[in-house]
Amino acid sequence: MIRRVLPYAAAATALAVLASPILRAQTPSAGGADLGILAGRPTVRPTRIERPPDIDGGLDDDVWNTAAVITDFVQQAPLDGPAATEATEVYLAYDSQNLYLGFRLHYSNPGLIRANRVDRDQADQDDLISVYIDPFLDQQRAYVFDVNGYGVQGDGIIVTNTSGGTRGRGRTRGGGGQSQTGIPGPDRSWDALFQTAARVVEDGYTAEMAIPFKSLRYPQLGSGESHRWGFQIVRAIQGKDDERDVWAPMSRDIDGFMTQMGVMEGMTGFSASRNLELLPTLTAIRFESRDETTGALADTFSPEGGLNVKYGISSNLTADFTFNPDFSQIESDVAQVEVNQRFPLFFPELRPFFLEGQEIFNVFSPLNWLNTRTIVDPRFGGKLTGKVGRTAVALLVANDEAPGRVTDATDAATDAAVGETAQVFVGRARYDLYAESYVGGLVTDRQFLDGYSRAAGADGQFRLGQTGQLNFIAFQTLNRDQAGDETTGPAWGVFLQQNGRNLRFSTFNGSTHPDLRTDLGFIRRVDTHTHRDTVAYRWWPESWLINWGPRFTYERIWDFDGVLQDQRFDTGLNFAFARNLTAGLVAERALERFAELDFWKWNYGATLGVNASRLVGVTGRLDWGDQIFFGDSPFLGRGARVGLSVTLRPMARLQSDINLDTSRLLDTRDGDLEVFNVKLVRALTTYQLTERLLFRNITEYNTFAKTLGVNLLATYRLNAGTAVFLGYDDHYRQRDQFDQTSDEFVLATDLLRTNRAVFTKIQYLFRY
């Protein structure tokens, strides 16, 4: 056991050494702190109430007659600063347990309302009213809560070291034009318990929301001291050129969302009770798989139980524990074209235990230093996340049973790995300097038997004026294999960017050593020195053409022997039109060195995005030009790739997302011989029968592998933590074999079942 404890102790000691001078320099945060960069911004003081409202969406409780009211909203997009085109009223109140918000959203033409009856976190393309809360007033991290016209709720997290986009279960909106909105998309993987309800009325809709303070992390203050939180309200009106109206005015002359929030102040007397959540789960799977040798179907049944515990040590520190966690993936990975790929593909994390709080572990870097999918099958896990003064801290420990599984019975008796587990430790500390600026450190350690893989490094972000930002990383890895051979390798990078209203530019310099390796991260490529510059300019006519402009990128990559491996120059032109239309064009001239050969390539691309109707949305991309065949005898051929996504919403309860990805390569050395032609089709259809009952189907077909997969799922959800899932999964492969009929052979191409499963999952959240 001593051997297994040592890497934890060493990693924890290293993190403590890094964090100790930071912790000694703590100063009080938020609460009674100065407003800093938010000084002079709009403020609101919610009214304290004794009797809570009924959250039914009606706004007919007496509470709203005395609540604080916000009515002044201005546009953030498509125009910069004019008054909102539609009236909005927001009411705020609180008691010791919850923050209450009421909304009245007017429409001069109610036919413009976009609202669908979907599962939680899936209403991103609807008209939403969203609340952003930064309890620590540090411009580093904010909670997001939103609701649509049917009361469908969504929640998430935004952090300062990401550029927006959606992770987790939320959908990502595409298109070729540069975004005309500076509202970042949240990470939808974070789930909170809160209440929402809405009603469609004659001139729009009304909604109510109750956010328990137990669902948030916030500073611990002295008795009677009032809280000051960063606060913003955003209203989306999709049918009016994707209009975004905000309470605290924003300007395109300033880069940053949280630095342009308003302030919510004056709240006192929160309940001192600690948050305790128990989430028991029961999963049962009946699985059939076909033996490739005999053709027989083997049947197995696997029932399992698990328990997740969350405890609020204080209002700003939370501990999570999981025993025998259920890591069944309710939604499968989105298929990617895997044919003729030079570097490995990345698949995002989908498991709830690792998703929650993952933003604290993030390092702003082109390298992924923590890829939790490398922890395949943990028996237990634990996390500590939160903030002490100015320092955000996060710890993760887990063991992984997967490395100790030996399927070859011949080796099982002699292999020392049988039944052993890998031990995992991750530690993160980040000290906030000023708005959207910090320095931090990350330590990762994985030990299995006598081998280990460790990484440690520092990172930082510095806001420069109103539009500039500087980031750096410096990491070192240390690895030892089971034979005792050790390797070590450094990586570093510096990134500078300037994002103004019109001019945007960035430059990056970085290096990855040939011996760089981490078993807990995802490093696509090593042995590189990289320099990259990007310049873009954007004009804002703000008429039928919202914005447009060119972009230029130049990149060079050398290896550690000084040999040029890649050189790329590309230029693009992007457009964003009224009616939610986007388009883009790109041309690229590039050198790519592979197998000691230099290949010069011309490539071209075009993108299109259309979201002008509630009924249908389309995004597409076409790339064509020269393409390398990455085989034993590489050559330069002609390729084409297509990505098409269509969202159909024929009725409020029914939605279907259809995706087509293709990749084709022709050998042009002697005619146009087709090397491969891959088509991946994926259709995800959901039907929301009631507010709580959802049916979903995922159908996938791969023309290259000749496989078909069908996944059916019924979900009954009471809240973010309590749900029942019942599913059926079926997979087939085309046979392509000759069968003899009388005196001749006939090619049989029928589908043969390879595996199928019936599964159920029950989870119930207890909160105390």
Side-chain angles (χ1 to χ4, degrees):
M1 289 302 295
I2 294 177
R3 183 185 63 197
R4 304 198 190 289
V5 173
L6 280 176
Y8 285 3
T13 301
L15 190 70
V17 170
L18 174 68
S20 59
I22 294 173
L23 292 171
R24 286 196 299 267
Q26 294 300 326
T27 57
S29 175
D34 293 335
L35 295 179
I37 199 170
L38 298 186
R41 300 291 293 170
T43 61
V44 64
R45 183 179 291 262
T47 303
R48 187 174 182 95
I49 58 176
E50 298 301 325
R51 182 177 179 181
D54 293 327
I55 305 301
D56 57 10
L59 290 183
D60 49 7
D61 295 272
D62 293 337
V63 166
W64 306 122
N65 296 326
T66 58
V69 184
I70 295 174
T71 58
D72 294 330
F73 284 79
V74 297
Q75 290 187 54
Q76 192 278 328
L79 306 181
D80 187 17
T85 63
E86 303 287 359
T88 304
E89 300 158 20
V90 179
Y91 305 88
L92 296 96
Y94 79 101
D95 57 21
S96 62
Q97 304 288 337
N98 301 286
L99 174 66
Y100 302 99
L101 298 106
F103 310 96
R104 191 182 303 276
L105 299 102
H106 301 271
Y107 286 81
S108 54
N109 177 8
L112 289 176
I113 299 176
R114 292 194 187 181
N116 291 278
R117 299 184 186 274
V118 293
D119 199 8
R120 72 185 319 273
D121 286 336
Q122 300 298 320
D124 286 346
Q125 301 201 27
D126 289 354
D127 288 0
L128 298 177
I129 186 74
S130 302
V131 178
Y132 295 78
I133 300 174
D134 174 11
F136 289 92
L137 202 66
D138 55 11
Q139 295 84 51
Q140 304 289 345
R141 181 177 186 265
Y143 300 98
V144 186
F145 301 90
D146 50 54
V147 62
N148 75 354
Y150 287 124
V152 176
Q153 63 179 222
D155 47 25
I157 296 284
I158 60 171
V159 292
T160 184
N161 60 353
T162 62
S163 57
T166 304
R167 298 192 301 271
R169 295 190 305 275
R171 295 185 174 86
T172 302
R173 197 173 302 140
Q178 299 182 36
S179 173
Q180 64 263 32
T181 172
I183 312 296
D187 174 1
R188 294 289 188 183
S189 62
W190 179 77
D191 288 324
L193 281 182
F194 70 111
Q195 290 181 272
T196 56
R199 296 181 185 178
V200 176
V201 295
E202 185 177 356
D203 66 338
Y205 70 92
T206 61
E208 294 176 314
M209 183 182 294
I211 304 172
F213 296 124
K214 281 187 175 183
S215 295
L216 309 175
R217 292 196 195 106
Y218 53 88
Q220 270 193 302
L221 304 181
S223 178
E225 192 173 2
S226 64
H227 287 264
R228 281 179 165 179
W229 295 356
F231 187 69
Q232 179 66 287
I233 301 172
V234 179
R235 177 183 178 183
I237 309 175
Q238 303 281 3
K240 286 194 167 184
D241 300 333
D242 204 12
E243 180 176 331
R244 294 294 191 274
D245 301 330
V246 296
W247 164 60
M250 298 176 61
S251 170
R252 296 189 184 121
D253 293 321
I254 301 174
D255 182 38
F257 176 76
M258 285 182 277
T259 56
Q260 300 188 74
M261 281 185 167
V263 177
M264 179 168 60
E265 61 183 7
M267 294 188 295
T268 61
F270 292 176
S271 171
S273 63
R274 298 285 183 262
N275 182 40
L276 175 62
E277 296 181 5
L278 304 177
L279 182 65
T281 63
L282 176 63
T283 304
I285 301 176
R286 181 163 187 169
F287 183 75
E288 285 184 353
S289 62
R290 185 175 299 277
D291 188 302
E292 295 291 338
T293 304
T294 64
L297 285 170
D299 189 355
T300 60
F301 178 68
S302 301
E304 287 193 2
L307 176 66
N308 298 321
V309 180
K310 181 188 294 290
Y311 178 66
I313 300 173
S314 65
S315 64
N316 54 351
L317 281 175
T318 301
D320 292 87
F321 304 94
T322 183
F323 175 74
N324 195 25
D326 165 48
F327 285 154
S328 60
Q329 294 175 215
I330 298 304
E331 183 169 332
S332 60
D333 291 315
V334 176
Q336 302 183 52
V337 176
E338 301 183 47
V339 180
N340 200 40
Q341 296 290 337
R342 181 179 179 183
F343 302 111
L345 297 173
F346 178 77
F347 291 88
E349 181 62 85
L350 297 175
R351 300 171 296 179
F353 175 77
F354 289 123
L355 282 172
E356 185 171 358
Q358 69 173 355
E359 77 285 345
I360 302 178
F361 293 98
N362 286 346
V363 174
F364 188 90
S365 166
L367 307 177
N368 186 337
W369 293 101
L370 178 60
N371 175 26
T372 51
R373 289 191 68 145
T374 60
I375 309 172
V376 179
D377 188 15
R379 182 183 302 163
F380 68 85
K383 289 190 299 184
L384 175 68
T385 56
K387 191 165 187 177
V388 181
R390 289 180 177 267
T391 303
V393 295
L395 301 175
L396 168 66
V397 294
N399 74 345
D400 190 356
E401 296 181 308
R405 294 201 182 99
V406 178
T407 57
D408 189 341
T410 304
D411 297 334
T414 57
D415 194 336
V418 175
E420 297 292 332
T421 61
Q423 312 300 314
V424 174
F425 171 85
V426 182
R428 172 75 162 147
R430 194 184 69 193
Y431 180 72
D432 298 339
L433 298 171
Y434 53 95
E436 296 186 336
S437 304
Y438 60 84
V439 292
L442 177 71
V443 174
T444 68
D445 179 83
R446 180 185 185 273
Q447 177 163 320
F448 183 64
L449 298 179
D450 294 323
Y452 56 76
S453 178
R454 297 168 182 165
D459 67 307
Q461 177 170 294
F462 307 92
R463 179 182 174 88
L464 306 176
Q466 292 187 330
T467 59
Q469 180 177 300
L470 175 69
N471 292 82
F472 80 87
I473 63 160
F475 273 77
Q476 186 80 23
T477 65
L478 178 64
N479 296 272
R480 184 173 70 189
D481 61 22
Q482 298 301 324
D485 297 327
E486 293 190 352
T487 59
T488 182
W492 63 270
V494 178
F495 179 69
L496 175 67
Q497 62 178 325
Q498 187 85 10
N499 295 318
R501 174 189 295 266
N502 302 108
L503 179 64
R504 300 186 172 205
F505 67 85
S506 66
T507 182
F508 172 79
N509 279 279
S511 173
T512 59
H513 192 272
D515 291 329
L516 180 78
R517 183 172 70 85
T518 170
D519 290 348
L520 286 177
F522 181 82
I523 310 296
R524 181 173 275 112
R525 186 178 185 181
V526 297
D527 191 14
T528 63
H529 293 293
T530 303
H531 175 82
R532 180 173 59 252
D533 296 309
T534 299
V535 178
Y537 197 87
R538 181 161 44 176
W539 286 276
W540 295 86
E542 295 186 340
S543 57
W544 62 272
L545 177 61
I546 305 299
N547 67 67
W548 72 282
R551 174 190 53 80
F552 306 93
T553 298
Y554 179 70
E555 181 181 59
R556 288 174 67 91
I557 301 177
W558 302 265
D559 64 17
F560 271 61
D561 292 327
V563 178
L564 183 64
Q565 298 292 318
D566 293 88
Q567 180 173 269
R568 174 172 64 95
F569 175 78
D570 70 61
T571 180
L573 194 59
N574 297 299
F575 303 88
F577 300 94
R579 299 289 297 166
N580 295 346
L581 303 178
T582 58
L585 299 169
V586 64
E588 176 187 84
R589 177 64 168 165
L591 163 70
E592 184 172 1
R593 185 174 177 83
F594 178 74
E596 306 301 322
L597 299 174
D598 289 342
F599 297 95
W600 282 96
K601 306 180 295 182
W602 279 103
N603 285 289
Y604 309 91
T607 59
L608 178 67
V610 182
N611 191 32
S613 168
R614 187 195 71 82
L615 299 177
V616 62
V618 179
T619 61
R621 182 177 184 90
L622 170 65
D623 297 295
W624 71 96
D626 301 321
Q627 184 176 341
I628 302 172
F629 175 70
F630 299 112
D632 295 334
S633 300
F635 61 86
L636 190 67
R638 187 171 69 249
R641 293 174 297 277
V642 174
L644 179 65
S645 177
V646 179
T647 300
L648 302 175
R649 297 176 288 266
M651 60 183 68
R653 298 182 184 274
L654 179 64
Q655 179 166 298
S656 184
D657 293 320
I658 303 169
N659 294 281
L660 171 66
D661 290 285
T662 74
S663 181
R664 186 181 187 222
L665 177 64
L666 301 178
D667 186 348
T668 58
R669 294 174 297 179
D670 186 15
D672 286 340
L673 177 65
E674 186 174 87
V675 181
F676 60 80
N677 187 1
V678 184
K679 297 183 179 67
L680 302 179
V681 182
R682 186 178 197 260
L684 188 157
T685 302
T686 59
Y687 184 77
Q688 194 79 31
L689 184 62
T690 68
E691 180 182 346
R692 295 177 174 175
L693 182 58
L694 167 74
F695 295 99
R696 190 203 69 195
N697 167 250
I698 299 177
T699 301
E700 295 180 328
Y701 183 65
N702 184 325
T703 63
F704 187 81
K706 298 181 180 179
T707 57
L708 172 67
V710 178
N711 179 279
L712 303 174
L713 179 70
T715 303
Y716 187 82
R717 188 188 304 277
L718 291 179
N719 54 46
T722 300
V724 178
F725 304 94
L726 178 63
Y728 175 77
D729 197 56
D730 211 351
H731 293 268
Y732 299 84
R733 186 180 66 248
Q734 189 172 313
R735 285 204 300 160
D736 282 349
Q737 69 179 33
F738 287 96
D739 291 342
Q740 185 173 6
T741 59
S742 64
D743 295 331
E744 61 182 13
F745 288 90
V746 177
L747 179 64
T749 60
D750 54 315
L751 293 172
L752 180 70
R753 174 178 285 125
T754 57
N755 57 76
R756 65 177 174 179
V758 178
F759 59 91
T760 185
K761 176 182 176 180
I762 302 172
Q763 61 184 45
Y764 194 92
L765 179 62
F766 299 90
R767 170 179 275 189
Y768 303 98

